[in-house]
Amino acid sequence: MSVPTAAPRKPDALERDALAVLHPTFHGTDTPPAWLLRLLESGGMTGVGLFGRNVVSDEQVTGLTARLHAANPEVLIAIDEEGGDVTRLEVRTGSSVPGSLALGAVDDPDLTRAVAADIGRRLVARGVTLNWAPSADVNSNPDNPVIGSRSFGADPELVARHTVAYVEGLQSAGVAACVKHFPGHGDTDVDSHLAMPRIGVDRDTLTARELLPFRAAIAAGTRSVMSAHILVPALDPELPGTLSPAVLTDLLRAPVAEGGLGFDGVVVTDGMEMDAIAARWGVERGNVLAIAAGADAICVGGTPSDEAEVLRMRDALVAAVRSGELPEERLHDAAERVRALGRWTAARRAEALAEGDPAGGTGGTGADGGIGMTAARRAVRVSAPAGAPPFAPLTAPAHVLVLTPAANVAVGSETPWGLGPALARLLPGTTTDRRGRPADGTARGTAEEVLREAGDRRLVVVVRDVHRHAWMGETLAALVAARPDTAVVEMGVPQAPPTGALHIATHGAARVCAEAAAEVLTGSVPAAGGS
């Protein structure tokens, strides 16, 4: 005789609050895991994150999120869809809108607002309700390995006005913005996915530079802010922002009259599995410290969670409350903030779907290209270094060399970038050679090999943040010396002096940025910018 299986125990109020603040990610593209649907439906969980591993097509994502909404109509479904280099919806093709650096280069807040609204409409149509964007980081350190073209630029006022425009555009479409990475990740030379960055400037510099865009975004009504795993001794000499009450409560939450930023929305952590946190505190312990410090939603983004991990994190929060380490009121307040955001996004999504185009935004490619292509064209800047030979537009198949640095974790290695496919569409027969850092770290022999492969075809060299990679600069210099008619396309931060017969700065590596550069190289469309 079989023994009846006991029904799962219904979680109590404390456990529901603990689950409410946990926003894990998962494996799968068609059906979310049964445990996740169960916790969303009856366990108190309020949110989940999507990454490129969950994306196959627009239709597939729409079906996937429909299952999550069915389990919990007020679920927060979050994604990293910054546009430009960081895209999840277009992870296999490259983004149809340029990223923040391109928009900052144009410096037209109305354009930024329109691009963000386009992203928002596409997210709403796919069932996404929270976008972990935009980056409000001021890219004051050109050697920054993780922000770079994800920032609107190095000028705090410029970053502030475009952060505001992005927030307004995104939220006008019914998607909550999440301004990141507080208190500012721009002046770092370490990637917090890999280690603990440190910003050693004084409080006055932080106020005038790092905090300015966040103040502006909060005043503009951003619904959430993401914390950074960075150590800022001027604010807290021991704990990184995500774990620091001085950063999240005494600065971000404190009233403006008391020197704070007065933020009353949801504070989301950056991925708690990142080494800046996990390597020292571990995910469960870091999760408790973050909520105690003032965070409301715990993101575990880079690696998919399973039920066991989520329950360990829940139990760590419950144990901290029962031991007196974490005030129950703090956990409940965090859970209530997250639930309120879920109600807001559910209402705004319903309104947007009732009013808008069910297909979502227009993106951009092809002859007219939509808002994305318009923005990419306007962001292109073309220069001819002094003494360079006149550049004749390409009219025959060319040879494209793409010098490829290692991708940072935020951008990922799945998303294609470069110029070859875009140029080959205009000049069939164009070939592409991709090369990474040579094993010996030098350019020895690379230039000769490339020149042999190019033969008598015109040479186009594509670089990305050439100022940060000595091997890349050496290879480029050798090729330009041998072939002065070489065209150079910089698809990262254009920090190095222009070189080549023609130098094109796209301010990002989105697919539309490549298409805009290909148009300039072939004379199909005149460049929008110039220097």
Side-chain angles (χ1 to χ4, degrees), residues 504-527:
I504 300 174
T506 62
H507 298 93
R511 171 168 49 85
V512 285
C513 295
E515 291 170 353
E519 290 177 342
V520 173
L521 287 166
T522 59
S524 303
V525 172

Side-chain angles (χ1 to χ4, degrees), residues 138 153-161 208-210 212-213:
V138 179
D155 174 60
E157 294 283 356
L158 179 146
V159 174
R161 61 179 170 266
R209 188 178 67 186
E210 273 75 15
L212 187 67

Side-chain angles (χ1 to χ4, degrees), residues 89-339:
L89 289 183
E90 298 181 279
V91 66
R92 312 298 172 200
T93 62
S95 182
S96 55
V97 297
S100 295
L101 187 65
L103 297 172
V106 177
D107 197 12
D108 178 352
D110 288 339
L111 178 66
T112 297
R113 192 175 294 107
V115 167
D118 187 78
I119 292 172
R121 287 189 292 271
R122 292 158 65 193
L123 293 175
V124 163
R126 303 287 79 79
V128 177
T129 62
L130 171 63
N131 192 6
W132 292 319
S135 168
D137 304 302
V138 179
N139 198 50
S140 55
N141 186 344
D143 290 329
N144 196 311
V146 69
I147 301 301
S149 62
R150 301 168 64 199
S151 166
F152 291 108
D155 174 60
E157 294 283 356
L158 179 146
V159 174
R161 61 179 170 266
H162 287 279
T163 298
V164 166
Y166 195 110
V167 167
E168 291 173 344
L170 188 67
Q171 295 190 164
S172 74
V175 176
C178 185
V179 177
K180 60 188 182 185
H181 306 80
F182 186 82
H185 209 311
D187 190 19
T188 62
D189 57 8
V190 172
D191 184 346
S192 53
H193 292 88
L194 307 175
M196 178 75 74
R198 181 182 186 276
I199 295 181
V201 300
D202 58 32
R203 183 67 179 258
D204 289 344
T205 301
L206 287 169
T207 299
R209 188 178 67 186
E210 273 75 15
L211 299 184
L212 187 67
F214 290 98
R215 288 187 187 278
I218 291 166
T222 185
R223 290 285 163 172
S224 61
V225 170
M226 179 176 283
S227 67
H229 307 330
I230 57 175
L231 187 67
V232 186
L235 302 176
D236 189 326
E238 296 180 358
L239 294 171
T242 295
L243 308 184
S244 171
V247 172
L248 298 188
T249 299
D250 299 342
L251 177 59
L252 182 57
R253 290 285 192 214
V256 174
E258 298 175 13
L261 274 66
F263 181 58
D264 195 38
V266 171
V267 177
V268 181
T269 71
D270 208 343
M272 295 299 286
E273 81 293 341
M274 293 163 61
D275 280 352
I277 299 294
R280 177 172 174 184
W281 290 278
V283 174
E284 288 89 6
R285 180 65 180 157
N287 149 57
V288 171
L289 294 175
I291 296 297
D296 303 305
I298 302 294
C299 168
V300 186
T303 54
S305 297
D306 58 18
E307 183 177 13
E309 179 181 59
V310 170
L311 294 182
R312 285 196 303 271
M313 295 177 71
R314 178 202 67 181
D315 293 346
L317 288 166
V318 170
V321 169
R322 289 175 175 161
S323 72
E325 178 187 10
L326 174 64
E328 185 171 359
E329 296 78 9
R330 169 78 275 272
L331 178 60
H332 184 66
D333 173 67
E336 286 295 290
R337 287 180 191 273
V338 175
R339 292 175 185 129

Side-chain angles (χ1 to χ4, degrees), residues 462-482:
V462 181
V463 295
R464 195 169 180 176
D465 296 341
V466 67
H467 66 283
R468 294 201 300 114
H469 306 284
W471 66 270
M472 194 182 293
E474 292 167 5
T475 304
L476 178 60
L479 290 169
V480 170

Side-chain angles (χ1 to χ4, degrees), residues 3-100:
V3 177
T5 303
R9 181 179 62 83
K10 185 177 180 180
D12 62 24
L14 179 56
E15 290 171 327
R16 292 180 66 84
D17 281 352
L19 279 170
V21 304
L22 301 179
H23 290 184
T25 61
F26 60 93
H27 272 304
T29 56
D30 295 322
T31 302
W35 65 265
L36 178 59
L37 294 175
R38 184 178 69 254
L39 291 178
L40 285 170
E41 184 174 8
S42 59
M45 184 172 282
T46 62
V48 65
L50 301 182
F51 276 80
R53 59 180 169 266
N54 305 116
V55 174
V56 175
S57 67
D58 284 349
E59 294 75 19
Q60 166 268 324
V61 172
T62 304
L64 182 67
T65 60
R67 292 175 175 86
L68 297 168
H69 284 290
N72 182 346
E74 295 177 354
V75 62
L76 288 167
I77 303 177
I79 203 167
D80 257 329
E81 192 62 37
E82 299 175 15
D85 294 6
V86 177
T87 177
R88 309 306 181 205
L89 289 183
E90 298 181 279
V91 66
R92 312 298 172 200
T93 62
S95 182
S96 55
V97 297
S100 295

Side-chain angles (χ1 to χ4, degrees), residues 399-497:
H399 186 65
V400 178
L401 171 67
V402 183
L403 297 176
T404 307
N408 70 54
V409 178
V411 173
S413 58
E414 309 98 323
T415 305
W417 70 279
L419 188 67
L423 193 56
R425 281 191 288 271
L426 298 177
L427 298 174
T430 292
T431 54
T432 297
D433 179 16
R434 302 185 74 93
R435 292 175 181 259
R437 183 179 184 272
D440 64 0
T442 72
R444 187 180 301 114
T446 301
E448 289 83 355
E449 293 176 12
V450 171
L451 291 170
R452 282 197 301 271
E453 293 173 3
D456 59 0
R457 288 170 295 172
R458 299 276 294 278
L459 183 62
V460 180
V461 181
V462 181
V463 295
R464 195 169 180 176
D465 296 341
V466 67
H467 66 283
R468 294 201 300 114
H469 306 284
W471 66 270
M472 194 182 293
E474 292 167 5
T475 304
L476 178 60
L479 290 169
V480 170
R483 293 279 292 271
D485 64 344
T486 296
V488 178
V489 181
E490 168 63 82
M491 300 194 78
V493 178
Q495 185 74 20

